[in-house]
């Protein structure tokens, strides 16, 4: 069974202009047997390491022994149980170069960038002092329609409190219940269905007093 290998490295590979790919939700490929998973991990790792080795702008790799990085991280990549774990290893390795625009994109994230959409409820949050603060609400998205506001705290998902390292992959059509604390520290709960959302919003509207509101996320 063939799997599509997607290993775009920011600052090394670029997408063409415009969105030529049909807007769709990323679908995970079927699970692999242990030996197939290991073989795939090593192919992806070797390709990513080689791309940096051949194309990185600094022949001295900022003083980092790049060949030693291969020896250090390749066994970890081989043991990765899935794409999430594999790309964590790749990005720890890339992080050794301390280059802000160098990163390995997992297939799901590459698909979302290529289509310019991803399944979401339409909020951006930031971890501040261990709390998830809603920094933005996408106009017209599920969270916006439910009444979520900027400044609220995101505290739970499906009744379970969120931990600092909690991760979540949304899927279209799978309803999720999120708990918030509003600006008055009152609990709010909403059950919403994620949808394919573009977070690159362009919006213009008039405000009282002759002002104009402009929003552009490019």
């Amino acid at each position: 069974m063939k799997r599509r290998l997607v290993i775009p490295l920011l600052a090394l590979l670029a997408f063409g202009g415009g969105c030529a790919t049909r807007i769709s939700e990323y679908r995970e490929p079927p699970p692999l047997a242990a030996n197939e998973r290991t073989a795939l991990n090593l192919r992806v790792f070797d390709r990513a390491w080689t791309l940096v080795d051949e194309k990185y702008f600094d022949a001295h790799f900022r003083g980092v022994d790049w060949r030693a990085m291969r020896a250090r991280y390749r066994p970890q990549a081989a043991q990765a149980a899935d794409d999430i774990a594999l790309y964590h290893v790749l990005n720890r390795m890339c992080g050794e170069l301390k280059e802000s625009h160098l990163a390995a994109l997992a297939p799901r994230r590459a698909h979302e960038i290529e289509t310019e959409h991803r399944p979401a409820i339409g909020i951006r949050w930031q971890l501040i002092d261990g709390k998830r603060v809603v920094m933005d609400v996408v106009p017209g998205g599920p969270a916006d329609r439910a009444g979520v506001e900027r400044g609220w705290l995101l505290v739970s998902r499906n009744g379970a409190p969120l931990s600092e390292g909690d991760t979540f992959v949304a899927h279209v059509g799978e309803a999720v219940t999120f708990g918030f604390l509003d600006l008055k520290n009152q609990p709010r709960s909403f059950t919403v269905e994620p949808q394919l959302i573009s977070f690159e919003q362009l919006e213009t509207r008039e405000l009282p007093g002759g002002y104009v509101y402009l929003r552009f996320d490019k």
Side-chain angles (χ1 to χ4, degrees), residues 1-185:
M1 181 180 296
K2 293 183 179 179
R3 279 171 56 109
R4 180 185 177 199
L5 302 185
V6 185
I7 323 167
L9 294 176
L10 299 183
L12 297 182
L13 301 179
F15 290 102
C19 179
T21 303
R22 181 176 64 87
I23 296 174
S24 61
E25 183 178 6
Y26 176 77
R27 297 295 183 183
E28 293 284 352
L32 295 173
N35 62 326
E36 294 175 321
R37 179 77 248 181
T38 299
L40 174 67
N41 289 352
L42 292 177
R43 289 200 304 273
V44 173
F45 178 90
D46 289 343
R47 180 58 177 153
W49 183 90
T50 300
L51 277 172
V52 176
D53 187 55
E54 295 176 347
K55 298 181 180 295
Y56 192 64
F57 74 94
D58 181 1
H60 301 288
F61 297 94
R62 294 181 180 264
V64 174
D65 185 341
W66 190 240
R67 293 190 178 277
M69 294 303 101
R70 184 177 189 273
R72 176 186 299 177
Y73 288 102
R74 196 172 191 267
Q76 298 178 35
Q79 296 174 8
D82 51 30
D83 281 346
I84 293 176
L86 172 62
Y87 280 82
H88 279 325
V89 174
L90 291 175
N91 282 308
R92 285 200 302 273
M93 179 179 69
C94 290
E96 299 280 0
L97 295 171
K98 297 187 171 49
E99 182 67 47
S100 61
H101 288 79
L102 176 64
L105 300 181
R108 174 182 293 277
R109 185 66 187 128
H111 175 85
E112 292 169 353
I113 291 174
E114 193 172 2
T115 62
E116 299 182 354
H117 286 71
R118 61 184 173 89
I121 67 169
I123 62 172
R124 288 189 178 99
W125 55 265
Q126 184 174 344
L127 197 64
I128 301 176
D129 294 333
K131 298 179 180 180
R132 287 175 168 80
V133 182
V134 177
M135 307 300 290
D136 188 30
V137 181
V138 175
D144 182 39
R145 295 195 301 270
V148 178
E149 298 180 7
R150 296 177 182 85
W152 288 15
L153 301 181
L154 176 60
V155 296
S156 67
R157 183 180 67 249
N158 292 335
L162 296 176
S163 62
E164 185 169 331
D166 189 274
T167 59
F168 170 66
V169 177
H171 295 285
V172 174
E174 293 185 6
V176 187
T177 300
F178 287 98
F180 299 86
L181 292 178
D182 65 17
L183 297 177
K184 296 181 179 180
N185 212 36

Side-chain angles (χ1 to χ4, degrees), residues 202-205 207 212-216:
L202 300 174
E203 182 184 2
T204 303
R205 53 188 168 89
L207 299 175
V212 176
Y213 171 87
L214 300 176
R215 174 189 175 126
F216 48 95

